[in-house]
Amino acid sequence: IAELCSEMQELFTASFKQINANFQQFFKELFGGGHARLYLSDEANVLESGIEIEVSPPGKVIKNLSALSGGEQALVAISIYFAILRVNPRRLLLDEIEAALDDVNVARYAQYLRRMTDRTQFIVITHRRGTMEAADVLYGVTMQEGGVSKILRLDLDNVSADLIT
């Protein structure tokens, strides 16, 4: 058991360091500067420790994450998602995580989704135009008659440019 715990601690510590480095990078890129880091609340007990998040967007000193706007909190969460995905790529369902972002940050978020599609597959639920524009395929659900849903598919690689205005 001691050997297994030691191995788990080593694996966790190595992954945590990579995720923290990625988080710092993604945060700076998504926020256009600032500082962020993840740290353990109890470094002596890595496997049972809590994980703390410290962020400072450009020009702000933040003591508590709740002091951030909804959009800023969403960007922090997105930065953490992307940091984890870079270390451990897998398919992911994202349900309107960019809803609180303004249009500029939606565009940044969509660019990151595109950059990460070489390593992972995303299924994104969204109502934001900027996110939809970055997609390869759009699916929609409509109800043309009571109780009967119809699924629509739009492959954006095969759409004529004159249809998009």
Side-chain angles (χ1 to χ4, degrees):
I1 292 175
E3 184 179 321
L4 182 59
C5 284
S6 175
E7 185 177 334
M8 288 187 329
Q9 185 171 341
E10 288 175 26
L11 287 171
F12 176 82
T13 302
S15 294
F16 185 77
K17 285 180 182 179
Q18 289 178 308
I19 291 168
N20 185 35
N22 293 338
F23 173 56
Q24 292 174 17
Q25 175 192 349
F26 282 122
F27 181 88
K28 285 180 183 178
E29 291 176 10
L30 286 172
F31 276 87
H35 169 77
R37 75 180 181 114
L38 301 172
Y39 63 94
L40 299 174
S41 54
D42 182 5
E43 290 187 21
N45 193 359
V46 172
L47 296 179
E48 295 183 25
S49 175
I51 297 173
E52 303 293 331
I53 304 168
E54 180 182 286
V55 298
S56 296
K60 293 185 178 182
V61 176
I62 302 295
K63 298 289 184 195
N64 191 322
L65 288 175
S66 63
L68 296 171
S69 71
E72 290 169 329
Q73 289 177 13
L75 278 180
V76 170
I78 290 167
S79 299
I80 293 171
Y81 276 143
F82 289 158
I84 294 169
L85 282 174
R86 182 170 280 167
V87 172
N88 190 10
R90 58 185 63 245
R91 291 185 182 126
L92 189 64
L93 173 69
L94 303 172
D95 187 357
E96 297 193 70
I97 67 169
E98 85 289 24
L101 302 181
D102 60 20
D103 290 339
V104 171
N105 287 319
V106 167
R108 284 185 188 157
Y109 160 75
Q111 288 173 356
Y112 273 94
L113 284 178
R114 293 295 297 166
R115 287 199 323 204
M116 295 191 72
T117 57
D118 63 334
R119 288 186 250 181
T120 191
Q121 179 183 32
F122 294 99
I123 298 172
V124 180
I125 299 169
T126 187
H127 290 96
R128 301 299 300 265
R129 181 181 179 133
T131 305
M132 287 187 242
E133 288 173 347
D136 295 325
V137 178
L138 295 177
Y139 291 92
V141 179
T142 183
M143 190 179 301
Q144 293 179 340
E145 36 183 292
V148 179
S149 297
K150 184 176 181 180
I151 297 177
L152 306 172
R153 176 190 162 117
L154 180 61
D155 187 343
L156 295 179
D157 292 334
N158 298 325
V159 174
S160 174
D162 60 344
L163 292 178
I164 301 173
T165 55

